[in-house]
Amino acid sequence: MRMKMMRMRRAGEERGYPGSAWVCCCWLLGWQAAALQLPPCEETDYHFEYTECDSSGSRWRVAVPNPSVECSGLPDPVKGKECTFSCASGEYLEMKNQTCSKCAEGTYSLGSGIKFDEWDELPAGFSNVATFMDTAVGSVENKADSCNNSSWTPRGNYIESNRDDCTVSLIYAVHLKKSGSVFFEYQYIDNNIFFEFFIQNDQCKEMESTADKWVKLTDNGEWGSHSVTLKSGSNILYWRTTGILMGSKVVKPVLVKNITIEGVAYTSECFACKPGTFSDKPGSSGCQVCPRNTYSEKGAKECTKCKEEMYYADEGSSACIERPPCTTKDFFQIHTPCDKEGKTQIMYKWIEPKICREDLPDALTLPPSGERQDCPPCNPGFYNNASSSCTPCPPGTFSDGTQECKACPAGTEPALGFEYKWWNILPGNMKTSCFNVGNSKCDGMNGWEVAGDHIQSGAGGSDNDYLILNLHIPGFKPPTSVTGATGSELGRITFIFETICSADCVLYFMADINRKNTNVVESWERSKEKQSYTHIISKNASFTFTWAFQRINEGQDSRQFINDMAKIYSITVTNAVDGVASSCRACALGSEQSGSSCVPCPPGHYIEKETSQCKECPANTFLSIHQVYGREACIPCGPGSKSTKDHSACFSDCLVSYVKDNQSLNYNFSNLSQVGSLMSGPSFTSRGTKFFHFFNISLCGNERKKMAICTDNITDVTLKDMVAESEDFSNFVGAFVCQSTIIPSDSKGFRTALALQSNSLADRFLGATVETVLENISIKTDMFPPSPSKIPDVHFFYKSSTVTTSCENGRATVVTMRCNLNKPDQGELSVPSSCPAGTCDGCTFYFIWESAEACPLCTEQDYHEIEGACKKGFQETLYVWNEPKHCIKGVPLPEKRTSTCETVDFWLKVGAGVGAFTAVLLIALTCYFWKKNQKLEYKYSKLVMTASSKECELPAADSCAIMEGEDNEEEIVYSNKQSLLGKLKSLATKEKEDHFESVQLKSSRSQNI
């Protein structure tokens, strides 16, 4: 019957009928029940509920049968309290009389709110939704199935998020009659998981009150709180986590507890106190926790004591636990302070609270205490002065811990700091504690215990306790002589440690700056051999260093790993304010040398050994941050670099020169001095999450300012805010080269891309050279494809001082600049194809920057001239670049040059005239000599004829001629026919010597002879 009524009620509401329509439905159903002659209803057969509020803000109180009850004669509906009515805390609304009544003992009420503080199981109304939001290419089916087992898990006092890279939402829907709020406590320490809290309305639109939905990180082991206002109406609350697994490291889950929602109109019943708590007064707004060795069940008015001889119980227990027999895991040893005789005693103590029994079979008893041993010496900088305790040396004195404090000699000053290597008592600036997120077993316990030559983690109360050791340093101050220096290192902390574990233990090293936020600097998992770790301090602030050791990260009922421990053998801090000295160092003296007072050297000055005076470092050298004594403290800058004015560091002014084949190549990278960016990838995690590696590179210039900035945007902090608060913002990185991991917006369903894991890859410039090796950093020739031109690549070498467990010497970066005229302006940045993340070993990063701006500057040797033809008395000379061209800017190409010249037409005329004259002269001479030759031939022929008529007589010379009218009938035959040139020569030499030409006459007479 009740189900039928409820269905009709919902149907009426869906159709928009007001509360009065629901009253009519109830009356009809009552009439129908009477018609069926059902038994009359008793008060135990029904309960009262309010109808939904109508537009006027009024409602009705109606009686509703309990499940499986059918009866008749339900009370008539009556007008209910106004919709905004609520009772005070500790009270509930008694529906029969519609009045507020106090909650009974063993129960509590928040009045207009509800509270969820019991997480043995998921409370009613909460739900889990798990998805794999990555949209990368792959098997969607496999990814969807891989998140089926991901959910928020109840852990008793709190609820824990998923540990994988699935996106899991914890959802709760509530309908408020008036404006209210939601409040919860949380622990969020791992930035490899994104934690957001937001609210949607019934139309799945996010409310304005959750504009800043990213929840802030908390310090390790501490609970934070978060509250958001709620509007009246439907509110759907989302606690959503998304893990980002970049490696095999398990994400530290988010913990949430004590969820309180205010704004509920009324509470018709009080909540029973959960087991382990009680309420002994009526009208309670909360329950109290049962003390140790007591227990309570649900709804208890008081706690019941355990039989302490046989049982025990922790605070907030729901039952007593039988005490086990004592073992070696139940006691530990300590050293007492030294006495006047220089002796210490070994004392054994039970782990408190003691839960074991010594009177059971096979139980161990506490070993006898009091064994005397020699006390270890005082730590350096301290001395016992024949007393039982070590006291710090007075200012201006020093001691190695075994001798009396002595004043520093003239010209020296104490090297202030702390060096703890003997652990008889805990030093005054250190403290220890124990903390557990789920219980208070170890509250008040020592997290670490001194043990002579080391300090080790204590027993704690549970295996998942955080065993905490703190060291407070009020500030850092460099030595007097280098007070003016502006180097990147003010001090350093170094410690030697080891971990001995049989489970998944973790040792955290954290730093708190100015007591604002604690950040994990480094962590070590499982067993680690004895090793040293150094952290550089780059700014003067108040630091609290914390070591936190946790055996396992999940709570267990029994102790299994109590023998797992961490040991710290020594802790050394340099340049600490209010520190002590174990030695003295040289310092600079004033010009008047008033006593042994030291004076600070100006920036970039070292202490000259002979005079103890300050002297400026030579040009292009920088002052060492570790020592300032002697000329060797000035370290030469690397190739292609110069020192700053204060000699604090070396930087590149973007100008690099190189001599090759007697030719000087000059590079100017000024146009590339702005920050260059590179996004490499995509890459994928083992579960298929897509991510990119994002790099920012500040190549040169800017007076050594580190212009490359990388930030984490998980908390939606703007860049302006981060720059303003960069001193304390841990996720803000400024360097020459920095890296961030980018999760694209389409990868995890976020509205914007997310940046995380920002870190510095280069904070010191080493040099720029064409050589492939500099300061033990090398680049392989096959790292990048060979250059198509003969222009050498220029390599910029950088170093990072950040030391990690995988990079003991810090990270290094090489940026290769390659000339490529086909890529103008900023050109293109890329990483090696064999190392898509920019590094193959995680420690040395390689980049190649191809650009026309990486080409050398042009010189006179990069062009040649071409001469044109002479036209109208003028000749042009053109200048063109040598091909292929491999230079930019520098010497400009000369302008076209025009010069005067003798034209070709003039000489052509001269040549033609001379040729014509020569031809005429030759013709005239030829005619002349030809005529002369004819005359000679005639004379000779007459001579022959005369000789024929008168034998043996020669005719007279003047009578040898052919008479006019006579014909020469004889044929003349030359015995040696000369050329025309030969005849001319013969005539020319006729007057100088007698020359006769032999002529043979061929006649009829001669033929007869």
Side-chain angles (χ1 to χ4, degrees):
M1 180 66 67
R2 183 192 177 206
M3 296 302 296
K4 185 175 181 180
M5 293 173 64
M6 295 302 293
R7 284 196 298 269
M8 291 183 66
R9 176 184 177 181
R10 285 196 297 269
E13 292 173 356
E14 291 174 357
R15 289 169 174 79
Y17 297 139
S20 58
W22 165 240
V23 175
C24 294
C25 290
C26 293
W27 182 83
L28 290 172
L29 286 175
W31 174 83
Q32 183 181 11
L36 295 176
Q37 297 181 353
L38 295 175
C41 294
E42 299 180 0
E43 289 189 2
T44 57
D45 294 334
Y46 61 88
H47 63 278
F48 293 105
E49 291 185 5
Y50 279 127
T51 64
E52 294 293 333
C53 296
D54 57 22
S55 58
S56 63
S58 61
R59 56 187 173 182
W60 293 82
R61 189 206 69 175
V62 297
V64 179
N66 293 330
S68 303
V69 174
E70 294 183 359
C71 62
S72 61
L74 289 171
D76 294 334
V78 297
K79 192 171 182 62
K81 293 284 189 179
E82 60 273 13
C83 292
T84 58
F85 175 81
S86 62
C87 295
S89 59
E91 297 179 344
Y92 72 100
L93 183 62
E94 200 276 311
M95 293 293 291
K96 182 178 180 180
N97 301 320
Q98 297 192 73
T99 58
C100 294
S101 301
K102 291 186 177 181
C103 292
E105 297 176 352
T107 63
Y108 73 97
S109 168
L110 299 177
S112 62
I114 52 177
K115 184 176 183 179
F116 301 95
D117 57 357
E118 190 175 347
W119 299 97
D120 295 320
E121 59 183 6
L122 201 63
F126 282 89
S127 61
N128 271 302
V129 176
T131 56
F132 194 89
M133 299 295 294
D134 203 325
T135 59
V137 178
S139 175
V140 178
E141 294 79 6
N142 292 341
K143 292 178 180 178
D145 295 341
S146 64
C147 292
N148 288 340
N149 296 325
S150 296
S151 66
W152 286 75
T153 306
R155 297 292 186 188
N157 293 327
Y158 58 89
I159 186 169
E160 176 184 284
S161 72
N162 58 309
R163 295 172 178 265
D164 51 29
D165 52 358
C166 294
T167 298
V168 183
S169 297
L170 179 66
I171 305 174
Y172 184 77
V174 61
H175 188 84
L176 301 184
K177 303 299 181 182
K178 59 181 180 180
S179 298
S181 63
V182 57
F183 169 88
F184 61 91
E185 296 179 65
Y186 70 96
Q187 189 174 112
Y188 173 33
I189 62 175
D190 195 339
N191 60 3
N192 288 317
I193 190 170
F194 299 127
F195 181 31
E196 17 174 10
F197 174 75
F198 58 95
I199 305 167
Q200 291 183 349
N201 58 20
D202 52 3
Q203 297 179 353
C204 296
K205 293 184 179 180
E206 289 193 20
M207 310 290 279
E208 296 179 357
S209 59
T210 56
D212 185 11
K213 63 179 183 178
W214 300 106
V215 182
K216 296 181 180 180
L217 290 166
T218 60
D219 293 340
N220 199 44
E222 296 185 5
W223 290 91
S225 61
H226 190 82
S227 62
V228 178
T229 58
L230 300 177
K231 293 183 178 181
S232 60
S234 296
N235 292 268
I236 305 175
L237 314 180
Y238 288 84
W239 291 265
R240 186 165 73 178
T241 56
T242 302
I244 306 298
L245 298 183
M246 294 302 170
S248 59
K249 189 175 181 179
V250 178
V251 174
K252 298 294 181 183
V254 174
L255 310 180
V256 175
K257 68 177 183 179
N258 293 337
I259 298 176
T260 304
I261 301 174
E262 294 283 351
V264 180
Y266 69 94
T267 300
S268 60
E269 60 181 352
C270 296
F271 300 97
C273 292
K274 68 176 184 178
T277 63
F278 70 99
S279 172
D280 58 353
K281 295 180 180 179
S284 297
S285 58
C287 300
Q288 304 176 50
V289 178
C290 288
R292 192 180 302 276
N293 292 327
T294 64
Y295 74 97
S296 71
E297 297 179 351
K298 189 171 184 177
K301 301 178 182 179
E302 60 181 7
C303 299
T304 305
K305 290 187 177 181
C306 299
K307 295 182 179 180
E308 295 190 20
E309 298 80 10
M310 303 175 60
Y311 299 92
Y312 76 96
D314 296 317
E315 288 184 357
S317 297
S318 59
C320 295
I321 303 173
E322 186 177 358
R323 294 182 181 271
C326 293
T327 65
T328 55
K329 299 179 180 180
D330 294 303
F331 60 84
F332 62 97
Q333 70 174 26
I334 62 171
H335 292 73
T336 62
C338 293
D339 55 22
K340 296 182 179 180
E341 299 177 359
K343 300 290 184 179
T344 179
Q345 297 184 32
I346 299 178
M347 307 296 292
Y348 294 91
K349 291 186 176 182
W350 293 111
I351 295 175
E352 296 293 341
K354 181 184 177 184
I355 61 173
C356 64
R357 293 177 59 183
E358 303 177 63
D359 56 350
L360 293 177
D362 299 327
L364 296 181
T365 57
L366 195 66
S369 300
E371 179 184 352
R372 292 167 60 86
Q373 293 182 350
D374 291 335
C375 280
C378 293
N379 283 309
F382 292 82
Y383 185 61
N384 57 19
N385 291 323
S387 64
S388 60
S389 60
C390 296
T391 57
C393 288
T397 63
F398 71 100
S399 171
D400 62 357
T402 60
Q403 300 179 357
E404 295 182 359
C405 300
K406 298 180 181 179
C408 288
T412 64
E413 63 177 340
L416 298 180
F418 294 101
E419 183 180 358
Y420 299 133
K421 60 181 181 179
W422 301 111
W423 303 92
N424 188 54
I425 60 172
L426 197 65
N429 59 348
M430 299 185 71
K431 64 178 183 179
T432 180
S433 60
C434 180
F435 176 78
N436 191 296
V437 298
N439 59 63
S440 57
K441 293 181 181 179
C442 72
D443 290 357
M445 292 185 179
N446 286 336
W448 293 69
E449 300 288 349
V450 294
D453 63 344
H454 67 274
I455 185 172
Q456 65 186 31
S457 56
S462 305
D463 284 345
N464 65 333
D465 291 340
Y466 285 101
L467 306 174
I468 297 173
L469 179 67
N470 301 114
L471 169 64
H472 179 67
I473 304 296
F476 289 87
K477 179 183 178 181
T480 303
S481 299
V482 293
T483 301
T486 58
S488 60
E489 179 179 331
L490 284 179
R492 59 176 54 194
I493 178 172
T494 302
F495 58 93
I496 300 174
F497 72 99
E498 72 171 330
T499 55
I500 305 170
C501 303
S502 57
D504 297 329
C505 68
V506 183
L507 175 64
Y508 298 95
F509 173 62
M510 298 172 285
D512 181 324
I513 303 175
N514 291 332
R515 300 185 183 274
K516 288 188 176 181
N517 56 337
T518 301
N519 301 288
V520 176
V521 177
E522 190 60 84
S523 62
W524 298 267
E525 298 180 358
R526 303 185 68 86
S527 294
K528 296 296 180 183
E529 295 180 353
K530 191 175 181 179
Q531 58 186 274
S532 173
Y533 179 80
T534 298
H535 177 61
I536 305 297
I537 309 300
S538 58
K539 53 188 172 184
N540 186 16
S542 174
F543 278 80
T544 297
F545 300 103
T546 300
W547 293 263
F549 180 70
Q550 188 181 38
R551 295 181 172 91
I552 56 175
N553 55 24
E554 294 184 5
Q556 295 182 346
D557 295 334
S558 60
R559 302 294 301 273
Q560 299 180 12
F561 307 104
I562 195 171
N563 291 327
D564 292 359
M565 67 176 63
K567 295 181 179 181
I568 297 178
Y569 292 91
S570 67
I571 300 175
T572 303
V573 183
T574 63
N575 299 339
V577 174
D578 297 336
V580 295
S582 60
S583 61
C584 299
R585 74 180 101 199
C587 69
L589 298 177
S591 57
E592 298 179 358
Q593 294 191 9
S594 56
S596 61
S597 60
C598 297
V599 297
C601 286
H605 287 62
Y606 69 96
I607 304 173
E608 195 174 40
K609 293 182 178 179
E610 292 79 10
T611 62
S612 294
Q613 300 294 309
C614 299
K615 188 173 183 180
E616 185 177 4
C617 284
N620 292 330
T621 63
F622 69 97
L623 190 64
S624 171
I625 58 178
H626 300 294
Q627 60 112 6
V628 293
Y629 191 64
R631 171 64 178 77
E632 58 271 17
C634 301
I635 304 174
C637 292
S641 64
K642 57 193 302 184
S643 64
T644 56
K645 294 180 180 179
D646 59 1
H647 298 278
S648 61
C650 297
F651 73 100
S652 170
D653 58 359
C654 300
L655 302 178
V656 179
S657 298
Y658 170 65
V659 179
K660 176 186 178 185
D661 300 332
N662 295 325
Q663 179 183 1
S664 178
L665 298 179
N666 299 309
Y667 299 83
N668 188 345
F669 301 103
S670 298
N671 288 342
L672 300 178
S673 61
Q674 299 300 320
V675 176
S677 300
L678 167 66
M679 182 90 76
S680 68
S683 300
F684 299 89
T685 65
S686 58
R687 291 285 296 272
T689 299
K690 180 171 64 175
F691 65 93
F692 295 84
H693 292 290
F694 181 73
F695 302 94
N696 276 331
I697 299 176
S698 176
L699 184 70
C700 58
N702 304 308
E703 284 290 334
R704 77 176 283 267
K705 293 180 180 178
K706 302 166 186 176
M707 305 299 292
I709 296 175
C710 294
T711 60
D712 293 355
N713 68 346
I714 298 177
T715 54
D716 282 348
V717 180
T718 64
L719 179 62
K720 180 179 179 181
D721 293 337
M722 285 186 286
V723 172
E725 300 180 3
S726 59
E727 288 296 319
D728 301 314
F729 191 77
S730 59
N731 295 327
F732 174 88
V733 176
F736 292 114
V737 183
C738 63
Q739 176 193 25
S740 293
T741 300
I742 304 297
I743 308 296
S745 57
D746 63 346
S747 181
K748 287 291 181 183
F750 297 122
R751 291 177 296 180
T752 59
L754 300 178
L756 68 156
Q757 297 180 346
S758 299
N759 53 70
S760 169
L761 304 182
D763 55 23
R764 184 166 67 94
F765 176 66
L766 301 181
T769 175
V770 298
E771 303 296 332
T772 57
V773 180
L774 183 64
E775 293 193 17
N776 298 323
I777 304 172
S778 62
I779 177 172
K780 298 180 181 179
T781 56
D782 58 350
M783 183 66 67
F784 298 104
S787 175
S789 66
K790 296 182 180 179
I791 299 299
D793 297 334
V794 179
H795 309 291
F796 281 73
F797 291 83
Y798 303 89
K799 188 78 173 175
S800 173
S801 59
T802 303
V803 178
T804 64
T805 53
S806 57
C807 305
E808 296 180 355
N809 298 321
R811 296 186 178 98
T813 301
V814 182
V815 181
T816 298
M817 307 302 297
R818 176 168 293 179
C819 172
N820 191 333
L821 291 173
N822 297 325
K823 297 180 179 179
D825 300 328
Q826 290 295 307
E828 180 183 359
L829 267 166
S830 58
V831 294
S833 57
S834 57
C835 307
T839 178
C840 295
D841 59 2
C843 297
T844 306
F845 290 77
Y846 300 96
F847 305 91
I848 186 169
W849 197 335
E850 296 181 86
S851 171
E853 299 292 337
C855 296
L857 300 178
C858 296
T859 64
E860 291 83 354
Q861 299 177 350
D862 292 310
Y863 61 84
H864 61 278
E865 65 179 25
I866 299 177
E867 294 183 349
C870 185
K871 295 180 180 180
K872 297 181 181 182
F874 296 96
Q875 184 181 34
E876 293 183 346
T877 303
L878 300 177
Y879 297 90
V880 295
W881 295 111
N882 299 333
E883 292 295 338
K885 182 183 177 183
H886 294 299
C887 67
I888 60 168
K889 302 177 182 178
V891 176
L893 199 64
E895 298 289 337
K896 178 176 64 176
R897 182 168 57 87
T898 302
S899 59
T900 59
C901 63
E902 299 293 340
T903 62
V904 178
D905 294 341
F906 172 80
W907 291 108
L908 183 60
K909 292 177 182 179
V910 173
V914 173
F917 174 77
T918 304
V920 172
L921 180 62
L922 288 175
I923 293 173
L925 290 174
T926 302
C927 293
Y928 171 77
F929 287 115
W930 179 79
K931 187 174 181 180
K932 293 286 287 184
N933 184 56
Q934 290 288 49
K935 290 180 180 181
L936 288 175
E937 287 182 353
Y938 175 75
K939 289 179 180 182
Y940 282 137
S941 63
K942 294 299 291 182
L943 178 61
V944 172
M945 291 176 62
T946 302
S948 300
S949 61
K950 293 181 179 182
E951 294 182 1
C952 300
E953 290 184 11
L954 293 173
D958 56 354
S959 63
C960 285
I962 300 176
M963 298 304 290
E964 186 177 354
E966 294 185 22
D967 296 330
N968 185 12
E969 297 178 354
E970 299 296 334
E971 183 178 356
I972 301 175
V973 179
Y974 292 96
S975 62
N976 185 14
K977 188 176 180 179
Q978 288 183 322
S979 64
L980 176 64
L981 182 61
K983 293 178 180 180
L984 292 174
K985 291 181 179 180
S986 299
L987 291 174
T989 59
K990 181 175 72 170
E991 296 180 354
K992 294 182 180 181
E993 58 180 307
D994 295 330
H995 177 75
F996 298 94
E997 190 176 36
S998 178
V999 178
Q1000 194 172 16
L1001 301 177
K1002 184 178 179 181
S1003 64
S1004 58
R1005 180 180 295 180
S1006 63
Q1007 290 176 353
N1008 295 331
I1009 295 176

